[in-house]
Amino acid sequence: MKINICAFSGFKIYPSKGRTLVRADCKIMHTQSRKTTVFLQKKTNPRDVSWTIAYRRLRNKGREKKTDTKRVYAVKKVSRPIVGISLEEILSKQNQSPELREQIRKLAEEKRKKAEERKKELREKGLGVDMSKRTTKQGQQYFKAIQKQKMPKGGFV
């Protein structure tokens, strides 16, 4: 026993039920009832008729949504080194006491103040910029001038 599928509605057609149509191109069309035969002959689109399987599939009717629970992974905190600082340095800074951090801040502040005072002194002398560094053009000129002063006038003896 062969169970056919309706060419229009998509429903099952059991033996001795339904109609069989043969088109001019020799294609055999099985229909469930006179109603589906008329719809098929009118060339009605089955996706536009609400009771057909094609309509229901297109609009996701009658399908149960899967209620699979998503697996939740526990968040793991991982410490990673940052460019320029190793992991050991980061961990040691985390484990420092607040008093030690305060001392380090004070030392850094004092160092910064000394650098500012030194710049101020150089500006007062008329050098304008901190010439202790050879990176700037003014710094290079400053070092050349110092080297000329150190050299004796007659050159090396």
Side-chain angles (χ1 to χ4, degrees):
M1 291 188 348
K2 187 176 179 187
I3 298 173
N4 295 317
I5 303 289
C6 178
F8 181 78
S9 66
F11 295 137
K12 292 178 184 175
I13 304 170
Y14 291 95
S16 77
K17 304 294 180 193
R19 297 175 177 213
T20 304
L21 302 170
V22 181
R23 288 199 324 203
D25 61 351
C26 296
K27 186 170 182 184
I28 298 171
M29 311 284 272
H30 299 284
T31 57
Q32 181 186 9
S33 62
R34 184 170 186 276
K35 179 168 122 178
T36 57
T37 307
V38 170
F39 272 122
L40 193 66
Q41 287 172 343
K42 285 183 182 178
K43 296 185 179 178
T44 306
N45 192 341
R47 288 176 288 182
D48 296 336
V49 182
S50 62
W51 49 267
T52 61
I53 300 290
Y55 177 94
R56 296 181 69 78
R57 281 190 184 145
L58 182 68
R59 290 161 180 82
N60 297 321
K61 302 288 183 185
R63 290 187 186 176
E64 292 181 19
K65 291 182 181 178
K66 290 186 178 179
T67 56
D68 292 340
T69 55
K70 282 190 176 181
R71 212 172 149 188
V72 179
Y73 294 98
V75 178
K76 295 178 184 176
K77 287 192 175 183
V78 179
S79 299
R80 292 187 179 153
I82 303 170
V83 177
I85 303 174
S86 66
L87 185 61
E88 291 80 25
E89 291 177 31
I90 293 171
L91 293 174
S92 66
K93 286 185 179 185
Q94 280 180 350
N95 297 331
Q96 284 178 351
S97 64
E99 296 84 21
L100 184 62
R101 283 190 201 149
E102 192 61 37
Q103 288 176 354
I104 292 170
R105 281 191 199 115
K106 285 181 181 176
L107 289 172
E109 185 67 27
E110 289 174 13
K111 189 176 180 182
R112 187 184 60 77
K113 284 182 181 177
K114 284 181 183 176
E116 283 180 8
E117 288 174 7
R118 187 164 180 240
K119 278 186 181 179
K120 205 175 197 180
E121 289 173 9
L122 288 171
R123 284 191 192 121
E124 289 172 1
K125 288 182 181 177
L127 300 174
V129 187
D130 185 6
M131 300 298 176
S132 63
K133 295 178 182 151
R134 296 182 184 215
T135 55
T136 62
K137 198 166 192 177
Q138 292 174 338
Q140 290 171 358
Q141 291 171 356
Y142 174 75
F143 279 106
K144 284 181 185 176
I146 290 175
Q147 287 172 354
K148 284 182 183 177
Q149 289 175 2
K150 288 182 183 177
M151 259 210 211
K153 277 193 173 181
F156 290 108
V157 180

